[in-house]
Amino acid sequence: MLVKRTIVSVCFLLTIGSYFLGYGWGFKAHQIIVQMAVFTLPTEMIPFYKKHWQELKQASIQPDIRRYVWEDEKPRHYIDLDHYSTSDQDSLQKSWNDVLRSIPEDTLLEYGILPYALSLTKYNLTSAMKEKNGPAIVRLSGDLAHYVGDASVPLHTTENYNGQLTGQTGIHALWESRIPELEADGYTYWQEPANYISDVRAAIWHIILHSHSLVDSVLLIEQELARNIPQDKKYTFAEVGKKTNRTYSNQYISAYSAQMNGMVERQMQNAIKFTGDLWFTCWVDAGQPNLADINFMAEPPILDSIKTNDPRSTLHRK
Ligand SMILES: [Zn+2]
């Protein structure tokens, strides 16, 4: 696909809300993930993150806003693993520089760079903590939580990301927005304390491969459900301004979620735990700075100037 996940910029402000429903956890899920991750942190970190709870909540949805105004942001939210051969899938799990030896950069950018965006953001957050740069810590903590959230969504790991190849167009928003909107208030979010991650790249790939292993279930369960529920029970109609939009009925959403046996809740729980683990790992790798001593007057770092071997750093230009 040459053109994928593109957006129509006309009437940007009017359409942006509905677009979000289709291309990332809904705002609600991203914000729950970032806020609940705070409670996994050690006592040295919790006061800073609690103090900036509201800013973190906003920061966690910024990557989805950036993708509309910044072309380089788009591929950071997914990776279409099924585009690649089995041997290429193994190559993908190497460092960015090593991946480039076997897969052209254009291909990587076209089919998504989510795992590398996660690694880079982890690196940048560690740097911000070393510098005690308050605004950057909040912004990058939100970015990291966002990318972890996306990595926990099975449909962010496949070319068939909206069921468009199997006659299931609309399943993306159904899975990651409509189900949480309807059910997330009843989920359990409490997680064990954050753990240090010694091999961040392996941990990122563990999350992504697990999400990818769920793709078949996500699609097949919905196909089966659609066969057994009449169309007039599957959809309902909602007035949006002067338009009437067809949307999945609550009955259909609940039935789909029940058939998946808690998958959406478990994936949100995993995202909360992994977000906390990564924040904690950044803090340890930064030398456990005293977060009570953070400088909020610091200019946000000019990320282009960060010296790193990872060429993805250049993607942070503004
Ligand atoms: Zn996203």
Side-chain angles (χ1 to χ4, degrees), residues 56-94:
L56 276 170
K57 208 170 139 182
Q58 283 307 310
S60 74
I61 57 175
Q62 288 305 310
D64 272 345
I65 294 172
R66 283 202 301 268
R67 60 194 287 174
Y68 299 96
V69 292
W70 187 33
E71 195 69 22
D72 287 351
E73 178 65 37
K74 289 180 194 168
R76 294 171 166 224
H77 299 247
Y78 59 91
I79 181 161
D80 295 342
L81 284 180
D82 39 17
H83 168 75
Y84 296 97
S85 66
T86 308
S87 67
D88 277 351
Q89 285 189 21
D90 290 340
S91 300
L92 287 170
Q93 296 176 42
K94 297 175 181 168

CSV table of all heavy atoms in Angstrom, one decimal, residues 56-94:
chain,number,residue,atom,x,y,z
A,56,LEU,N,0.3,14.8,32.3
A,56,LEU,CA,0.7,13.5,31.7
A,56,LEU,C,-0.5,13.0,30.8
A,56,LEU,O,-0.3,12.4,29.8
A,56,LEU,CB,0.9,12.5,32.8
A,56,LEU,CG,2.3,12.5,33.4
A,56,LEU,CD1,2.3,11.6,34.6
A,56,LEU,CD2,3.3,11.9,32.3
A,57,LYS,N,-1.7,13.3,31.4
A,57,LYS,CA,-2.9,12.8,30.7
A,57,LYS,C,-3.0,13.5,29.3
A,57,LYS,O,-3.3,12.8,28.3
A,57,LYS,CB,-4.1,13.3,31.5
A,57,LYS,CG,-5.3,12.4,31.4
A,57,LYS,CD,-6.4,12.8,32.4
A,57,LYS,CE,-7.7,12.8,31.9
A,57,LYS,NZ,-8.8,13.3,32.8
A,58,GLN,N,-2.7,14.8,29.3
A,58,GLN,CA,-2.6,15.5,28.0
A,58,GLN,C,-1.5,15.0,27.1
A,58,GLN,O,-1.7,14.8,25.9
A,58,GLN,CB,-2.5,17.0,28.2
A,58,GLN,CG,-3.8,17.7,28.7
A,58,GLN,CD,-4.9,17.4,27.7
A,58,GLN,OE1,-4.8,17.5,26.5
A,58,GLN,NE2,-6.1,16.9,28.3
A,59,ALA,N,-0.3,14.8,27.7
A,59,ALA,CA,0.9,14.3,27.0
A,59,ALA,C,0.6,13.0,26.3
A,59,ALA,O,1.1,12.7,25.2
A,59,ALA,CB,2.1,14.3,27.9
A,60,SER,N,-0.2,12.1,27.0
A,60,SER,CA,-0.4,10.8,26.4
A,60,SER,C,-1.1,10.7,25.1
A,60,SER,O,-1.1,9.7,24.4
A,60,SER,CB,-1.1,9.9,27.5
A,60,SER,OG,-2.5,10.3,27.6
A,61,ILE,N,-1.8,11.8,24.8
A,61,ILE,CA,-2.6,11.8,23.5
A,61,ILE,C,-1.9,12.7,22.5
A,61,ILE,O,-2.3,12.7,21.3
A,61,ILE,CB,-4.1,12.2,23.7
A,61,ILE,CG1,-4.2,13.6,24.4
A,61,ILE,CG2,-4.8,11.2,24.5
A,61,ILE,CD1,-5.6,14.1,24.5
A,62,GLN,N,-0.8,13.4,22.9
A,62,GLN,CA,-0.2,14.3,21.9
A,62,GLN,C,0.4,13.5,20.7
A,62,GLN,O,0.3,14.1,19.6
A,62,GLN,CB,1.0,15.0,22.6
A,62,GLN,CG,0.5,16.1,23.6
A,62,GLN,CD,-0.4,17.1,22.9
A,62,GLN,OE1,-0.1,17.6,21.8
A,62,GLN,NE2,-1.6,17.3,23.5
A,63,PRO,N,0.9,12.3,20.8
A,63,PRO,CA,1.4,11.7,19.6
A,63,PRO,C,0.4,11.5,18.5
A,63,PRO,O,0.7,11.6,17.3
A,63,PRO,CB,2.0,10.3,20.1
A,63,PRO,CG,2.4,10.6,21.5
A,63,PRO,CD,1.3,11.6,22.0
A,64,ASP,N,-0.9,11.2,18.9
A,64,ASP,CA,-1.9,11.1,17.9
A,64,ASP,C,-2.3,12.4,17.3
A,64,ASP,O,-2.8,12.5,16.2
A,64,ASP,CB,-3.2,10.4,18.5
A,64,ASP,CG,-3.1,8.9,18.5
A,64,ASP,OD1,-2.3,8.4,17.7
A,64,ASP,OD2,-3.9,8.2,19.2
A,65,ILE,N,-2.1,13.5,18.0
A,65,ILE,CA,-2.3,14.9,17.5
A,65,ILE,C,-1.2,15.3,16.5
A,65,ILE,O,-1.4,15.8,15.5
A,65,ILE,CB,-2.5,15.9,18.6
A,65,ILE,CG1,-3.8,15.5,19.4
A,65,ILE,CG2,-2.6,17.3,18.1
A,65,ILE,CD1,-4.0,16.3,20.7
A,66,ARG,N,0.0,14.9,16.9
A,66,ARG,CA,1.2,15.3,16.1
A,66,ARG,C,1.1,14.6,14.7
A,66,ARG,O,1.6,15.2,13.7
A,66,ARG,CB,2.5,14.8,16.8
A,66,ARG,CG,3.0,15.6,17.9
A,66,ARG,CD,4.5,15.4,18.1
A,66,ARG,NE,4.8,14.1,18.4
A,66,ARG,CZ,4.9,13.6,19.7
A,66,ARG,NH1,4.7,14.3,20.7
A,66,ARG,NH2,5.3,12.3,19.9
A,67,ARG,N,0.5,13.4,14.6
A,67,ARG,CA,0.6,12.7,13.4
A,67,ARG,C,-0.2,13.4,12.3
A,67,ARG,O,0.0,13.2,11.1
A,67,ARG,CB,0.1,11.3,13.5
A,67,ARG,CG,-1.3,11.1,14.0
A,67,ARG,CD,-1.5,9.7,14.5
A,67,ARG,NE,-1.7,8.8,13.4
A,67,ARG,CZ,-1.8,7.5,13.5
A,67,ARG,NH1,-1.8,6.9,14.7
A,67,ARG,NH2,-1.9,6.7,12.5
A,68,TYR,N,-1.1,14.4,12.7
A,68,TYR,CA,-1.8,15.1,11.7
A,68,TYR,C,-1.1,16.3,11.1
A,68,TYR,O,-1.4,16.9,10.1
A,68,TYR,CB,-3.1,15.6,12.3
A,68,TYR,CG,-4.0,14.5,12.7
A,68,TYR,CD1,-4.0,14.0,14.0
A,68,TYR,CD2,-4.7,13.7,11.8
A,68,TYR,CE1,-4.7,12.9,14.4
A,68,TYR,CE2,-5.4,12.6,12.2
A,68,TYR,CZ,-5.4,12.2,13.5
A,68,TYR,OH,-6.1,11.1,13.9
A,69,VAL,N,0.0,16.7,11.8
A,69,VAL,CA,0.7,17.9,11.4
A,69,VAL,C,2.2,17.6,11.1
A,69,VAL,O,2.9,18.5,10.6
A,69,VAL,CB,0.6,19.0,12.5
A,69,VAL,CG1,-0.8,19.5,12.6
A,69,VAL,CG2,1.1,18.5,13.8
A,70,TRP,N,2.6,16.4,11.3
A,70,TRP,CA,4.0,16.0,11.1
A,70,TRP,C,4.1,14.6,10.5
A,70,TRP,O,3.8,13.6,11.1
A,70,TRP,CB,4.6,16.1,12.5
A,70,TRP,CG,6.1,15.9,12.5
A,70,TRP,CD1,7.0,16.3,11.5
A,70,TRP,CD2,6.9,15.3,13.5
A,70,TRP,NE1,8.3,16.0,11.8
A,70,TRP,CE2,8.2,15.3,13.0
A,70,TRP,CE3,6.6,14.7,14.7
A,70,TRP,CZ2,9.3,14.8,13.8
A,70,TRP,CZ3,7.6,14.2,15.4
A,70,TRP,CH2,9.0,14.2,15.0
A,71,GLU,N,4.5,14.6,9.3
A,71,GLU,CA,4.5,13.4,8.5
A,71,GLU,C,5.3,12.3,9.1
A,71,GLU,O,4.9,11.1,9.1
A,71,GLU,CB,5.1,13.7,7.1
A,71,GLU,CG,4.8,12.7,6.0
A,71,GLU,CD,3.4,12.5,5.6
A,71,GLU,OE1,2.6,13.5,5.8
A,71,GLU,OE2,3.1,11.4,5.1
A,72,ASP,N,6.4,12.7,9.7
A,72,ASP,CA,7.3,11.6,10.3
A,72,ASP,C,6.7,10.9,11.5
A,72,ASP,O,7.2,9.9,11.9
A,72,ASP,CB,8.6,12.3,10.8
A,72,ASP,CG,9.5,12.7,9.6
A,72,ASP,OD1,9.2,12.3,8.5
A,72,ASP,OD2,10.5,13.4,9.8
A,73,GLU,N,5.7,11.5,12.1
A,73,GLU,CA,5.1,10.9,13.3
A,73,GLU,C,4.3,9.6,12.9
A,73,GLU,O,4.2,8.7,13.7
A,73,GLU,CB,4.2,11.9,14.0
A,73,GLU,CG,3.5,11.4,15.2
A,73,GLU,CD,4.4,11.0,16.4
A,73,GLU,OE1,5.4,11.7,16.6
A,73,GLU,OE2,4.1,10.0,17.1
A,74,LYS,N,3.7,9.6,11.7
A,74,LYS,CA,2.7,8.6,11.4
A,74,LYS,C,3.2,7.2,11.6
A,74,LYS,O,2.5,6.4,12.2
A,74,LYS,CB,2.2,8.8,10.0
A,74,LYS,CG,1.3,10.0,9.8
A,74,LYS,CD,0.9,10.1,8.3
A,74,LYS,CE,0.3,11.5,8.1
A,74,LYS,NZ,0.1,11.7,6.6
A,75,PRO,N,4.4,6.8,11.0
A,75,PRO,CA,4.8,5.4,11.1
A,75,PRO,C,5.2,4.9,12.5
A,75,PRO,O,5.4,3.8,12.8
A,75,PRO,CB,6.0,5.3,10.2
A,75,PRO,CG,6.5,6.7,10.1
A,75,PRO,CD,5.3,7.6,10.2
A,76,ARG,N,5.2,5.9,13.5
A,76,ARG,CA,5.7,5.5,14.8
A,76,ARG,C,4.6,4.7,15.6
A,76,ARG,O,4.9,4.2,16.7
A,76,ARG,CB,6.0,6.8,15.6
A,76,ARG,CG,7.2,7.5,15.1
A,76,ARG,CD,7.4,8.8,15.8
A,76,ARG,NE,8.7,9.3,15.5
A,76,ARG,CZ,9.5,9.9,16.4
A,76,ARG,NH1,9.1,10.0,17.7
A,76,ARG,NH2,10.7,10.3,16.1
A,77,HIS,N,3.4,4.7,15.1
A,77,HIS,CA,2.3,4.1,15.9
A,77,HIS,C,1.9,2.7,15.5
A,77,HIS,O,1.0,2.1,16.1
A,77,HIS,CB,1.0,5.0,15.7
A,77,HIS,CG,1.2,6.4,16.1
A,77,HIS,ND1,0.6,7.0,17.2
A,77,HIS,CD2,2.1,7.4,15.7
A,77,HIS,CE1,1.0,8.2,17.4
A,77,HIS,NE2,1.9,8.5,16.4
A,78,TYR,N,2.7,2.1,14.6
A,78,TYR,CA,2.3,0.7,14.2
A,78,TYR,C,3.5,0.0,13.6
A,78,TYR,O,4.5,0.6,13.3
A,78,TYR,CB,1.2,0.7,13.2
A,78,TYR,CG,1.5,1.5,11.9
A,78,TYR,CD1,2.0,0.9,10.8
A,78,TYR,CD2,1.2,2.9,11.9
A,78,TYR,CE1,2.3,1.6,9.7
A,78,TYR,CE2,1.5,3.6,10.7
A,78,TYR,CZ,2.1,2.9,9.6
A,78,TYR,OH,2.4,3.6,8.5
A,79,ILE,N,3.4,-1.3,13.5
A,79,ILE,CA,4.3,-2.1,12.6
A,79,ILE,C,3.5,-3.2,12.0
A,79,ILE,O,2.9,-4.0,12.8
A,79,ILE,CB,5.6,-2.6,13.4
A,79,ILE,CG1,6.5,-3.3,12.5
A,79,ILE,CG2,5.2,-3.4,14.6
A,79,ILE,CD1,7.9,-3.4,13.0
A,80,ASP,N,3.6,-3.3,10.7
A,80,ASP,CA,2.8,-4.4,10.0
A,80,ASP,C,3.6,-5.6,9.9
A,80,ASP,O,4.3,-5.9,8.8
A,80,ASP,CB,2.4,-3.9,8.6
A,80,ASP,CG,1.4,-2.7,8.7
A,80,ASP,OD1,0.8,-2.5,9.8
A,80,ASP,OD2,1.3,-2.0,7.7
A,81,LEU,N,3.7,-6.4,10.9
A,81,LEU,CA,4.6,-7.5,11.0
A,81,LEU,C,4.3,-8.5,9.9
A,81,LEU,O,5.2,-9.2,9.3
A,81,LEU,CB,4.5,-8.2,12.3
A,81,LEU,CG,5.2,-7.5,13.5
A,81,LEU,CD1,5.0,-8.4,14.8
A,81,LEU,CD2,6.7,-7.4,13.2
A,82,ASP,N,3.0,-8.7,9.5
A,82,ASP,CA,2.7,-9.7,8.5
A,82,ASP,C,3.1,-9.3,7.1
A,82,ASP,O,2.9,-10.1,6.2
A,82,ASP,CB,1.2,-10.1,8.6
A,82,ASP,CG,0.3,-8.9,8.9
A,82,ASP,OD1,0.7,-7.8,8.7
A,82,ASP,OD2,-0.9,-9.2,9.3
A,83,HIS,N,3.6,-8.1,6.9
A,83,HIS,CA,4.1,-7.7,5.6
A,83,HIS,C,5.4,-8.5,5.4
A,83,HIS,O,5.8,-8.7,4.2
A,83,HIS,CB,4.4,-6.2,5.6
A,83,HIS,CG,5.2,-5.8,4.4
A,83,HIS,ND1,4.7,-5.8,3.1
A,83,HIS,CD2,6.5,-5.5,4.3
A,83,HIS,CE1,5.6,-5.4,2.3
A,83,HIS,NE2,6.8,-5.3,2.9
A,84,TYR,N,6.1,-8.8,6.4
A,84,TYR,CA,7.5,-9.3,6.3
A,84,TYR,C,7.6,-10.8,6.3
A,84,TYR,O,6.7,-11.5,6.9
A,84,TYR,CB,8.3,-8.8,7.5
A,84,TYR,CG,8.5,-7.3,7.5
A,84,TYR,CD1,7.7,-6.5,8.3
A,84,TYR,CD2,9.5,-6.7,6.8
A,84,TYR,CE1,7.8,-5.1,8.3
A,84,TYR,CE2,9.6,-5.3,6.8
A,84,TYR,CZ,8.8,-4.5,7.5
A,84,TYR,OH,8.9,-3.2,7.5
A,85,SER,N,8.6,-11.4,5.7
A,85,SER,CA,8.9,-12.8,5.7
A,85,SER,C,9.3,-13.2,7.2
A,85,SER,O,9.7,-12.3,8.0
A,85,SER,CB,10.0,-13.2,4.7
A,85,SER,OG,11.2,-12.6,5.2
A,86,THR,N,9.3,-14.5,7.4
A,86,THR,CA,9.7,-14.9,8.8
A,86,THR,C,11.2,-14.5,9.1
A,86,THR,O,11.5,-14.0,10.2
A,86,THR,CB,9.7,-16.5,8.9
A,86,THR,OG1,8.4,-16.9,8.4
A,86,THR,CG2,9.9,-17.0,10.3
A,87,SER,N,12.1,-14.6,8.1
A,87,SER,CA,13.5,-14.2,8.3
A,87,SER,C,13.6,-12.7,8.6
A,87,SER,O,14.3,-12.2,9.4
A,87,SER,CB,14.4,-14.7,7.2
A,87,SER,OG,14.1,-14.0,6.0
A,88,ASP,N,12.8,-11.9,7.8
A,88,ASP,CA,12.8,-10.5,8.0
A,88,ASP,C,12.2,-10.1,9.4
A,88,ASP,O,12.7,-9.1,10.0
A,88,ASP,CB,12.0,-9.8,6.9
A,88,ASP,CG,12.8,-9.5,5.6
A,88,ASP,OD1,14.1,-9.8,5.7
A,88,ASP,OD2,12.3,-9.1,4.6
A,89,GLN,N,11.2,-10.9,9.8
A,89,GLN,CA,10.7,-10.6,11.2
A,89,GLN,C,11.8,-10.8,12.2
A,89,GLN,O,11.8,-10.1,13.2
A,89,GLN,CB,9.5,-11.5,11.4
A,89,GLN,CG,8.2,-11.1,10.7
A,89,GLN,CD,7.0,-11.9,11.1
A,89,GLN,OE1,6.9,-12.4,12.2
A,89,GLN,NE2,6.0,-11.9,10.3
A,90,ASP,N,12.7,-11.7,12.0
A,90,ASP,CA,13.8,-11.9,13.0
A,90,ASP,C,14.7,-10.7,12.9
A,90,ASP,O,15.2,-10.2,13.9
A,90,ASP,CB,14.5,-13.2,12.7
A,90,ASP,CG,13.7,-14.4,13.0
A,90,ASP,OD1,12.8,-14.3,13.8
A,90,ASP,OD2,14.0,-15.5,12.5
A,91,SER,N,15.0,-10.3,11.6
A,91,SER,CA,15.9,-9.1,11.5
A,91,SER,C,15.4,-7.9,12.1
A,91,SER,O,16.1,-7.1,12.6
A,91,SER,CB,16.1,-8.9,10.0
A,91,SER,OG,16.7,-10.0,9.3
A,92,LEU,N,14.0,-7.7,12.1
A,92,LEU,CA,13.4,-6.5,12.6
A,92,LEU,C,13.7,-6.3,14.1
A,92,LEU,O,13.7,-5.2,14.6
A,92,LEU,CB,11.9,-6.6,12.5
A,92,LEU,CG,11.3,-6.4,11.1
A,92,LEU,CD1,9.8,-6.8,11.0
A,92,LEU,CD2,11.5,-5.0,10.6
A,93,GLN,N,14.0,-7.4,14.8
A,93,GLN,CA,14.2,-7.4,16.2
A,93,GLN,C,15.6,-6.9,16.6
A,93,GLN,O,16.0,-6.9,17.8
A,93,GLN,CB,13.9,-8.7,16.9
A,93,GLN,CG,12.4,-9.1,16.6
A,93,GLN,CD,12.0,-10.4,17.2
A,93,GLN,OE1,12.4,-10.8,18.2
A,93,GLN,NE2,11.2,-11.1,16.4
A,94,LYS,N,16.4,-6.6,15.6
A,94,LYS,CA,17.8,-6.1,15.9
A,94,LYS,C,17.7,-4.6,16.2
A,94,LYS,O,16.7,-4.0,16.1
A,94,LYS,CB,18.7,-6.5,14.8
A,94,LYS,CG,18.9,-8.0,14.5
A,94,LYS,CD,19.7,-8.3,13.3
A,94,LYS,CE,19.8,-9.8,13.1
A,94,LYS,NZ,20.3,-10.1,11.8
